Amino acid sequence: MTETPAQYLHHHGLRKTLGRELVLTTFLDQSRALSHGELNTLLGDQLNRASLYRVLQSFEESGIVHRVPDDEVSVKYALCSGACSSEQHHDNHVHFKCNHCGETQCLPEVKLPKVKTPDSLKVESAELLLRGYCRHCAA
Amino acid sequence: MTETPAQYLHHHGLRKTLGRELVLTTFLDQSRALSHGELNTLLGDQLNRASLYRVLQSFEESGIVHRVPDDEVSVKYALCSGACSSEQHHDNHVHFKCNHCGETQCLPEVKLPKVKTPDSLKVESAELLLRGYCRHCAA
DNA sequence: ACCTTTATGCAACAGTGTTGCAAATATTAA
DNA sequence: TTAATATTTGCAACACTGTTGCATAAAGGT
Ligand SMILES: [Mn+2]
Ligand SMILES: [Mn+2]
Ligand SMILES: [Zn+2]
Ligand SMILES: [Zn+2]
């Protein structure tokens, strides 16, 4: 990302606000998928809980983050690779979640192969979630 | 499934109870992935809400259902194909969720291709979630 | 039938996600 | 720079999700 967070927001049609800059910077700092709860803990009282939900909504709608399905209590979000807009997301990439530390990361370099599906289904997108042990937690 | 629900429970090391038979029968009737909330609605006051959570836990632990990651508020569960036990689940198959009606179904006949992942990650399982429009909702 | 183990209902609780509204802030137009 | 307007924020209230302790009920083995 060559732009500043403020410019990045502006290019996605969002006003530059303290909350949005905080959330965007946190995603860049952490470089992993984060749930609302994790962000809320990281941000402390710098941003209201409800406002954080609204920041995440606006980010998803404008193509700044995408949702990462999770098998736990709450959904996670991860920064989009860059090509996403409010028109469309292009995040058909693979995610990896560690069974030990619970961290989820995007694997944009892993190609998602096409699978053959029944003709009756009109498939529009695919989400592959790998689970296992990350570099730090491998037994 | 050639066994009765009661036998099926017994073979998975679970006592036959009214709640478990109700939940198992509902999964068989619906043939799709169901969330706790959906089951709770279908069962009405036939089974207490907390007990339903506990039935789902016992089913997951004993290899009767597996969790289907979802990008919405709550997790879904689907019947295992049969080979699963309390030792291990073998549900590395594909799921499909309709963007219109929201129903999720297992696609056991769709082969999940192996993907090449970074050596630093120890991948143990994979979950592919397809999204689009189902037979009934296709535009 | 009795005993032991396990499951259930109920209630209370913590976390997640949504919404209305008034106050604060960002952007645009004087 | 100021004023007008549009958007965002904090706060509070709420509904839903998931967990737990405990007393009672039911299941399975003797
Ligand atoms: Mn991603
Ligand atoms: Mn399945
Ligand atoms: Zn890890
Ligand atoms: Zn549908």
Side-chain angles (χ1 to χ4, degrees):
Chain A
M1 195 176 298
T2 154
E3 308 157 290
T4 67
Q7 290 173 320
Y8 196 68
L9 292 171
H10 188 254
H11 289 165
H12 282 81
L14 294 178
R15 292 190 175 185
K16 153 186 132 23
T17 70
L18 186 52
R20 286 178 182 153
E21 291 189 283
L22 281 169
V23 175
L24 181 50
T25 307
T26 306
F27 272 113
L28 293 169
D29 284 351
Q30 299 282 325
S31 358
R32 60 189 174 103
L34 296 165
S35 67
H36 173 275
E38 290 172 308
L39 283 161
N40 194 229
T41 301
L42 288 166
L43 294 175
D45 55 6
Q46 294 176 97
L47 183 63
N48 176 269
R49 200 176 65 90
S51 304
L52 174 53
Y53 275 112
R54 289 185 279 223
V55 165
L56 288 170
Q57 271 177 234
S58 71
F59 277 16
E60 190 188 2
E61 283 165 14
S62 59
I64 293 180
V65 301
H66 57 273
R67 231 166 238 258
V68 183
D70 198 274
D71 55 358
E72 297 197 14
V73 196
S74 73
V75 169
K76 289 189 172 178
Y77 298 86
L79 279 184
C80 294
S81 16
C84 303
S85 68
S86 53
E87 316 304 316
Q88 207 182 349
H89 276 268
H90 306 272
D91 300 290
N92 279 16
H93 64 249
V94 177
H95 294 105
F96 175 86
K97 176 168 174 174
C98 176
N99 288 326
H100 183 257
C101 68
E103 287 196 9
T104 299
Q105 48 186 286
C106 297
L107 303 179
E109 74 279 8
V110 177
K111 277 272 197 45
L112 180 55
K114 284 273 174 279
V115 292
K116 181 159 170 43
T117 52
D119 291 340
S120 57
L121 303 176
K122 187 156 168 270
V123 176
E124 303 224 315
S125 67
E127 168 75 30
L128 177 60
L129 177 63
L130 304 176
R131 303 210 45 152
Y133 295 92
C134 76
R135 190 169 64 260
H136 309 101
C137 301
Chain B
M1 194 175 303
T2 155
E3 309 157 288
T4 66
Q7 291 173 319
Y8 196 69
L9 291 172
H10 188 255
H11 290 163
H12 282 81
L14 293 179
R15 292 189 176 184
K16 151 185 136 15
T17 69
L18 186 53
R20 285 179 184 153
E21 290 189 284
L22 282 169
V23 175
L24 181 50
T25 308
T26 306
F27 272 113
L28 292 168
D29 284 352
Q30 299 281 325
S31 359
R32 60 189 175 102
L34 296 165
S35 67
H36 172 275
E38 291 172 306
L39 283 162
N40 194 227
T41 302
L42 289 166
L43 295 175
D45 55 7
Q46 294 177 97
L47 183 63
N48 176 270
R49 199 176 66 90
S51 303
L52 174 54
Y53 274 114
R54 288 185 279 223
V55 165
L56 289 170
Q57 270 177 234
S58 70
F59 277 16
E60 191 189 2
E61 283 164 13
S62 58
I64 291 179
V65 301
H66 57 272
R67 230 165 240 257
V68 183
D70 198 275
D71 54 359
E72 298 198 10
V73 195
S74 73
V75 169
K76 288 189 172 176
Y77 297 86
L79 278 184
C80 295
S81 15
C84 302
S85 68
S86 53
E87 316 305 316
Q88 207 181 349
H89 276 266
H90 306 271
D91 300 290
N92 279 17
H93 64 249
V94 177
H95 294 104
F96 175 86
K97 176 169 177 174
C98 176
N99 287 328
H100 183 257
C101 67
E103 287 197 8
T104 299
Q105 49 186 284
C106 296
L107 303 179
E109 74 278 13
V110 177
K111 278 273 197 47
L112 180 55
K114 284 273 172 282
V115 292
K116 182 159 170 41
T117 52
D119 291 339
S120 56
L121 303 176
K122 188 157 168 271
V123 176
E124 303 225 315
S125 67
E127 167 76 30
L128 177 60
L129 177 63
L130 304 176
R131 302 212 46 153
Y133 295 92
C134 76
R135 189 169 65 260
H136 309 102
C137 300

